[in-house]
Amino acid sequence: MSGDPAIAALVDAASAPYRAAGRFAWHFARGKLAGDPAFAAILSHGLLAGRARILDLGCGQGLLAAWLLAARAAHLEGRWPGDWPPAAAPAQLTGVEINPREVARARVALGERAQIVQGDIRHVDYGSVDAIVILDVLHFIDSSSQEAVLRRARAALAPRGILLLRVGDAAAGFGFTVGKLVDRVVALARQRRLIRLTCRAASDWQVQLARLGFAVEALPMSQGTPFANVLLVGRLP
Ligand SMILES: C[S@@+](CC[C@H](N)C(=O)[O-])C[C@H]1O[C@@H](n2cnc3c(N)ncnc32)[C@H](O)[C@@H]1O
């Protein structure tokens, strides 16, 4: 099996549970899982393979958990591309999300299969985990909170833990401007207010992760989209 049909089947499987959460949740799940290259890359690069306790900060409607669960099932059933590393088999999937409507959708879709905590990533306890994922979230909080979240993420990770941090690259020009505009418009529609975004160049994020002790690899992560996103993969020794 090659990657593309496998991805289409995973999009179907991972989005199906969102039907119970309403039309918007289901359509959003399908569009995001199919169109955002980060989800396929996490599987094809095996970034979360072998990680038992996974924490998703700013999890939205819990798509990463749904994706990993669908991947695990596909792998067990032999519907898995031969050139991909094994799917993650997490014993503990936790998401933290501040928006109660996203939390409600996540809980309906995921039920007991993941724990969705309604809370602020600046304040909730991260516990002890093997992987932390933060996709498109940190720019919503100010720079000292960003630093505190990353410090606490570092402290919560077990030895050889992994941090996946996706950010818009503020040094990247037009694609970055498009991403920022989309975030502002979505926030205006959902929260009826203009929000402040705190963005940085990908190289600045990389330096900060390196200072915290991560070995960092940067993967371009906006293929097929108009954005300029980078997935920073931070590995602890
Ligand atoms: C662009 S969405 C990304 C959602 C998810 N990570 C994904 O990739 O599908 C950003 C999410 O971060 C959440 N968020 C923003 N600030 C937060 C905070 N301080 N604590 C928890 N969640 C937060 C938002 O409510 C939103 O659901």
Side-chain angles (χ1 to χ4, degrees):
M1 194 191 266
S2 84
D4 286 352
I7 290 169
L10 284 173
V11 170
D12 288 345
S15 55
Y18 288 92
R19 280 185 187 279
R23 285 178 64 81
F24 171 83
W26 180 67
H27 282 291
F28 183 81
R30 292 194 63 78
K32 185 87 198 281
L33 292 172
D36 182 338
F39 291 98
I42 284 171
L43 303 184
S44 64
H45 291 267
L47 296 176
L48 295 174
R51 310 291 176 172
R53 297 163 299 172
I54 299 175
L55 175 63
D56 184 6
L57 295 178
C59 67
Q61 65 175 32
L63 292 178
L64 179 70
W67 185 246
L68 294 177
L69 289 163
R72 173 73 177 146
H75 189 206
L76 284 175
E77 290 158 15
R79 294 177 285 104
W80 195 249
D83 54 347
W84 284 8
Q92 179 186 303
L93 273 172
T94 307
V96 179
E97 171 56 48
I98 201 166
N99 181 331
R101 277 172 299 180
E102 301 279 5
V103 169
R105 290 194 273 266
R107 286 181 178 160
V108 167
L110 295 163
E112 301 284 295
R113 301 182 302 156
Q115 189 196 6
I116 305 297
V117 177
Q118 184 177 339
D120 189 324
I121 62 168
R122 291 170 294 187
H123 308 307
V124 297
D125 182 11
Y126 298 169
S128 177
V129 292
D130 303 297
I132 294 184
V133 182
I134 312 177
L135 299 179
D136 310 335
V137 179
L138 282 194
H139 57 302
F140 290 112
I141 59 180
D142 64 45
S143 65
S144 62
S145 302
Q146 292 172 346
E147 280 166 33
V149 165
L150 291 176
R151 255 198 324 273
R152 290 176 57 226
R154 164 72 179 87
L157 281 169
R160 292 189 295 284
I162 192 166
L163 171 70
L164 305 183
L165 173 65
R166 188 168 64 178
V167 292
D169 180 1
F174 183 67
F176 170 71
T177 308
V178 174
K180 221 162 84 161
L181 185 67
V182 169
D183 280 337
R184 288 222 163 95
V185 170
V186 169
L188 187 61
R190 288 185 180 174
Q191 302 171 27
R192 309 250 174 265
R193 65 183 177 95
L194 283 173
I195 53 162
R196 216 184 116 107
L197 300 174
T198 306
C199 306
R200 307 188 203 181
S203 55
D204 287 358
W205 289 110
Q206 256 180 283
V207 167
Q208 193 179 349
L209 294 186
R211 270 200 210 113
L212 288 169
F214 290 97
V216 190
E217 182 188 1
L219 304 175
M221 203 48 67
S222 42
Q223 304 88 315
T225 75
F227 310 129
N229 293 329
V230 177
L231 183 68
L232 299 174
V233 180
R235 292 186 173 86
L236 289 178

